[in-house]
Amino acid sequence: MRITFLGASGSEVTGSNYLVQTATSSVMVDFGLFQGGSRADKLNVLPKGVDFKNLKAVLLTHAHLDHCGRLPLLVQTGFRGRVYATPGTKDIAALILRDSAKIQASDLERINRKRQRAGQQPKPVLYTIEDVEKVLNQFEPLPYHQEVKVAEGLFLTVAEAGHMLGSASFSLQQRGAGRNTTVVFSGDLGPRGAPILRDAEPFTKADLVLLESTYGDRDHRSLDDTVREFTDIIAKVVARRGKLLVPAFAVGRVQQLLYHLALMFRSGRVPKFPIYIDSPMAIEATAIYRRHPELFDAEYQALNPRRMTEEDLATVKTCVTADQSKALNELTGPCMIMAGAGMCNAGRILHHLKQNLWKPETAVLIVGYQAPGSLGRMLVDGAKQVKIFGEPISVKASVHTLGGFSAHAGQTDLLHWLGQVAPSRPQVALIHGEDRARKPLAEKIQQQFGITCTLPNLNQSLVVGE
Ligand code: ZN
C-alpha cells in the first residue's frame, strides 16, 4: 500500500487529504479545505497526480471543513465512486458544505467587486451549491464497528473518534495473497471525558498509523479548571456590561458551550443573561445533534438535553437573518454572541469584531484552534491592531483563550490512544500538526513505545506492507 500525504502534512495542519493506492485500487481519505491566509487559497485545488476517474471511493473521517471542504471539487473530475461517511457525518457535512458554498459566493462577490474596480480579471468560484448537492448524492452511510468493503481488496472498519458528531477513526485493511496490511487513520481525536459525545475508541492492530498531532506538544487545562475560568470570565464581563464575543465552530463547540452555560445557570453560579446564537449553521447543527441521541454518552443522555435547552437556556435567542444579526450592533451588554467562523476568517463574527474590538468592555473568548494567518490567531498572539474588511481596528477588548474546550485530544490522550495499538509495532506518521506540536509528540512516542515517528511533508509517500 502506498500512502501519499496530500494535505494536513508538513507545515499544513488543514486541508486533510491522503491517497491510498494498492496494485488494484485507489481511495482517498478526507478531502478538506486548506484554511488561513493566502497560501491556503493556492492549495485549494485538485491535487496533482490523482487519477479521479479511477478513484474508487473517498472515506470521510468527519465533517469539519478542513476534512470535507474540497469534496464538491470531485464533481468536476469525473469521479463516480462513493463518499463513505457515518450518518452523523453526512448530516453535518451537508450543512457545512452548503454553508461553505454560500460563504465562498458572497466572499467572491466582494473580492470581484474590488478586482473590477482595480481593472483585474474576476476570480472564478471554487465550487457552487449545485456541486455540493451533486456530491452529497454520492454519499454512502458507514456504520460504526462493521467492516465494509470500499474497493477491490480494501476493507474499512470505523471506530468512534470522540471529536464531533459522527466523527470516526478508520482501520483500512488490504487483503491480498499471503498477507494483510492495515493502515489506521486516527482522524481528529477528541479529548477523553469531554461532555456530550462518547470517548474515542482505539484500534489494536496496525502496520501504519496516521496520528493527528494538533496538540501533540501539550495537555489542555482540565475541563473542570476550564469551566471555572469560563465562569469567572463571564461573571466579570457581565459585571462590566460588556459583550462577550465567541468565534465558534458552529458544530460541536456551540453545543458544548450551551451545555456548560445550562449547567452554570442551573447551579445559579451566574445569573441568566442574554445569549445570541448568531449563526444559522449553529442553530441547524444543534437540531442535527438532537436527531442523533444514539451518539451521546451515557452522562448526557441522563441529563435529558431537551429539558435542559428549554428551561435552563431560556435566555438563548437565535439570529437567523442578516437583519437580526445586524440588530445586535444596537444592543448594549451584557450579552454573549456566538458567531462563526471559528477562526474569524469569514462570517458574521467579523462584523461583531469590527463593531466591538475597539471597546475595552468587550471580551473575545477563543475556544478553538486558530490556524496561522487567521484573524483569530492574530488576536491570540496579542495583536494591538487588526484589519477587518480592509479597515484598521484597534484591539482594546480583552482576549481569552480557553484551550480546555478543545475538541482535540491533548498529548496525554493522544499517547493513551496510540498506546493501545503500539504493541502491534506499527510505523507511525504524525500528521495534522505544526512542527512545534509534532516534534515533542514524536519524542514522547520514542520514549514510551520505542517507535521512531515519520513527520511527512506535503506530497511525500510512504509504502507499507510490500
Ligand atoms: Zn476536526
Side-chain angles (χ1 to χ4, degrees), residues 305-325:
R306 190 172 296 276
R307 177 192 165 272
M308 187 172 82
T309 312
E310 283 163 11
E311 293 177 18
D312 298 308
L313 298 177
T315 54
V316 173
K317 295 188 179 68
T318 52
C319 302
V320 177
T321 66
D323 281 342
Q324 288 171 329
S325 175

Side-chain angles (χ1 to χ4, degrees), residues 118-154:
Q120 294 166 329
Q121 287 293 315
K123 245 177 93 172
V125 70
L126 194 58
Y127 51 77
T128 63
I129 189 77
E130 288 77 23
D131 296 334
V132 169
E133 298 305 328
K134 275 184 198 155
V135 85
L136 287 173
N137 281 330
Q138 285 172 269
F139 271 57
E140 182 74 20
L142 201 53
Y144 284 94
H145 311 130
Q146 282 173 40
E147 193 179 72
V148 175
K149 183 179 174 181
V150 292
E152 198 47 50
L154 281 176

Side-chain angles (χ1 to χ4, degrees), residues 62 64 66-67 163-164 188 408 432:
H62 66 286
H64 276 146
D66 62 319
H67 293 257
H163 171 67
M164 78 182 299
D188 288 3
H408 284 276
H432 204 286

Side-chain angles (χ1 to χ4, degrees), residues 37-187:
S38 54
R39 186 177 143 77
D41 288 345
K42 292 197 184 77
L43 290 167
N44 282 327
V45 290
L46 289 167
K48 288 196 186 82
V50 180
D51 177 5
F52 283 97
K53 285 203 177 65
N54 289 311
L55 189 69
K56 290 290 182 274
V58 178
L59 320 176
L60 180 59
T61 59
H62 66 286
H64 276 146
L65 198 60
D66 62 319
H67 293 257
C68 76
R70 275 186 292 164
L71 285 174
L73 293 181
L74 290 172
V75 171
Q76 310 162 6
T77 65
F79 168 71
R80 293 283 166 265
R82 290 177 173 163
V83 178
Y84 286 93
T86 65
T89 292
K90 187 196 166 172
D91 287 354
I92 303 275
L95 178 66
I96 285 186
L97 290 175
R98 284 173 186 145
D99 183 72
S100 168
K102 227 188 288 168
I103 287 180
Q104 285 181 48
S106 69
D107 282 358
L108 198 69
E109 210 181 284
R110 201 182 56 246
I111 290 166
N112 281 342
R113 268 201 307 269
K114 250 191 211 166
R115 291 176 74 97
Q116 202 179 2
R117 287 196 295 268
Q120 294 166 329
Q121 287 293 315
K123 245 177 93 172
V125 70
L126 194 58
Y127 51 77
T128 63
I129 189 77
E130 288 77 23
D131 296 334
V132 169
E133 298 305 328
K134 275 184 198 155
V135 85
L136 287 173
N137 281 330
Q138 285 172 269
F139 271 57
E140 182 74 20
L142 201 53
Y144 284 94
H145 311 130
Q146 282 173 40
E147 193 179 72
V148 175
K149 183 179 174 181
V150 292
E152 198 47 50
L154 281 176
F155 298 84
L156 177 67
T157 308
V158 176
E160 174 64 62
H163 171 67
M164 78 182 299
L165 193 86
S167 65
S169 299
F170 289 157
S171 167
L172 187 62
Q173 188 173 61
Q174 180 194 14
R175 288 192 205 135
R179 68 164 294 181
N180 299 337
T181 305
T182 303
V183 179
V184 163
F185 297 83
S186 70

Side-chain angles (χ1 to χ4, degrees), residues 202-206 209 414-428 445 448-451:
F203 290 104
T204 52
K205 200 184 159 304
V209 176
L414 290 171
L415 291 167
H416 174 83
W417 185 90
L418 187 68
Q420 320 287 308
V421 71
S424 69
R425 308 305 302 161
Q427 291 187 60
V428 176
I445 290 171
Q448 286 196 14
F449 308 116
I451 296 173

